[in-house]
Amino acid sequence: MDDLASRLAQSRAAILERINAAAKAGGRPSGSVTLTAVSKQQPDERIEAMLAAGQRVFGENRVQEAQARWEHRRGQWPDLELRLIGPLQTNKADAACALFDVIETLDRDKLASALARAMDKTGRRPRLFIQVNTGREAQKAGIDPGEAAAFAERCRETHGLAIEGLMCIPPEAEPASLHFALLAQLARDCSVERLSMGMSADYELAARMGASAVRVGSALFGARPGPAA
Ligand SMILES: *Cc1c(COP(=O)(O)O)cnc(C)c1O
């Protein structure tokens, strides 16, 4: 193995170990937390190294960037699981259904009906998470926490969509634990089991507090290069 491959394999092993320890500390069974490797903006050689290390679940925040990175790799890695963790425009619903196995950012009726149509059209039914704007931040996507349960109900009854879980991105300036606890409470109100929460800075806390998937980018791959890093 070259330096990069062994460095990333070690980074992944260490993070998996910390996730498992945190889940255990929260009284949760080992293996109950999926590591989503957030590959957005990461260079190709790091993607290849992460695949070689055994990682199969990847998160991306833009449809086009994800197509460029993953479409040609599908054939080679049939057990890939691709998760959309960034905002989705309705005009990209078909493309998102065609590429992703999980869409975590469902947050409005217009998108729910676009996804229902896209599923019929493409014949693919990605698993769905509702994004909740737990901090009620104006600039952030996600449904208002007060509307989450009614929206989940409409997704099922009006749009005919199965909802698997909830996702949140806590405000940077607030303790993440408050938002993780709120998301867990809302999941009960919405009758869903899964929680996508926790990023590089707080994935252990999230694993302890009930996350079924944590989304880790920079702590796993290293900092995202370029001006957008
Ligand atoms: C980029 C991103 C992440 C990963 O962020 P890191 O801090 O690099 O771990 C997680 N979730 C979402 C929604 C993101 O956009």
Side-chain angles (χ1 to χ4, degrees), residues 38 40 61 85-86 167 169 198-201 215-219 224:
V38 178
K40 66 182 184 197
N61 69 339
I85 60 172
M167 177 270 218
I169 309 170
M199 310 183 6
S200 285
R215 309 179 305 266
V216 185
S218 44
R224 288 178 283 277

Side-chain angles (χ1 to χ4, degrees), residues 34-83:
T34 298
L35 170 61
T36 301
V38 178
S39 46
K40 66 182 184 197
Q41 297 164 31
Q42 293 287 354
D44 251 19
E45 61 269 24
R46 294 189 192 169
I47 306 296
E48 289 301 329
M50 204 50 76
L51 285 161
Q55 181 67 28
R56 292 294 179 272
V57 182
F58 292 87
E60 290 281 348
N61 69 339
R62 289 168 178 274
V63 176
Q64 268 170 313
E65 185 188 335
Q67 284 173 325
R69 183 167 294 119
W70 293 108
E71 264 176 354
H72 65 286
R73 290 192 164 99
R74 273 278 188 201
Q76 194 188 349
W77 306 97
D79 53 346
L80 271 183
E81 179 176 301
L82 300 179
R83 305 176 68 125

Side-chain angles (χ1 to χ4, degrees), residues 13-193:
I15 286 175
L16 286 174
E17 202 165 295
R18 292 168 81 150
I19 289 171
N20 269 330
K24 198 171 169 194
R28 311 183 57 216
S30 76
S32 54
V33 186
T34 298
L35 170 61
T36 301
V38 178
S39 46
K40 66 182 184 197
Q41 297 164 31
Q42 293 287 354
D44 251 19
E45 61 269 24
R46 294 189 192 169
I47 306 296
E48 289 301 329
M50 204 50 76
L51 285 161
Q55 181 67 28
R56 292 294 179 272
V57 182
F58 292 87
E60 290 281 348
N61 69 339
R62 289 168 178 274
V63 176
Q64 268 170 313
E65 185 188 335
Q67 284 173 325
R69 183 167 294 119
W70 293 108
E71 264 176 354
H72 65 286
R73 290 192 164 99
R74 273 278 188 201
Q76 194 188 349
W77 306 97
D79 53 346
L80 271 183
E81 179 176 301
L82 300 179
R83 305 176 68 125
L84 179 64
I85 60 172
L88 178 58
Q89 295 167 271
T90 51
N91 63 3
K92 299 219 173 94
D94 287 4
C97 278
L99 181 67
F100 288 99
D101 303 289
V102 182
I103 294 173
E104 299 198 4
T105 51
L106 173 55
D107 65 353
R108 58 200 190 278
D109 285 275
K110 203 174 157 220
L111 181 57
S113 66
L115 283 172
R117 278 196 308 275
M119 287 181 183
D120 288 342
K121 202 162 140 189
T122 60
R124 289 187 93 254
R125 300 191 76 80
R127 290 141 54 204
L128 299 175
F129 281 60
I130 291 173
Q131 181 177 357
V132 185
N133 187 357
T134 57
R136 295 194 157 115
E137 295 172 279
Q139 80 283 10
K140 217 166 250 177
I143 189 114
D144 185 274
E147 294 168 24
F151 179 59
E153 175 79 8
R154 286 199 304 281
C155 284
R156 295 186 182 107
E157 300 302 324
T158 310
H159 304 291
L161 298 171
I163 303 299
E164 183 170 298
L166 303 182
M167 177 270 218
C168 76
I169 309 170
E172 272 174 40
E174 290 179 26
S177 56
L178 297 177
H179 297 271
F180 295 164
L182 173 59
L183 199 70
Q185 175 59 52
L186 290 171
R188 288 187 282 276
D189 299 344
C190 295
S191 309
V192 297
E193 306 251 311

